[in-house]
Amino acid sequence: MALAARDEYKISLEKQQLEVREMVLEGLEQVHMGKMKDFNEVCDRLENKYRNAALHN
């Protein structure tokens, strides 16, 4: 049972890490496209977007 829980935790952690990488890459792409002038602004926008999305799921 503990092994199954550990495996589920590992899968969940890897999924979250992938989501964070995708958010950062999305933000960088927006900076390169000139949609955002400041990377902090991009990070704030993405954080708000995904924090709000997490509350609705």
Side-chain angles (χ1 to χ4, degrees), residues 4-27:
R6 196 173 335 162
D7 289 343
E8 287 179 27
Y9 173 77
K10 183 178 177 184
I11 291 168
S12 177
L13 181 62
E14 289 171 353
K15 182 179 176 183
Q16 289 175 354
Q17 289 173 336
L18 181 59
E19 290 173 356
V20 169
R21 287 184 188 114
E22 289 173 355
M23 286 190 303
V24 170
L25 291 174
E26 180 182 332

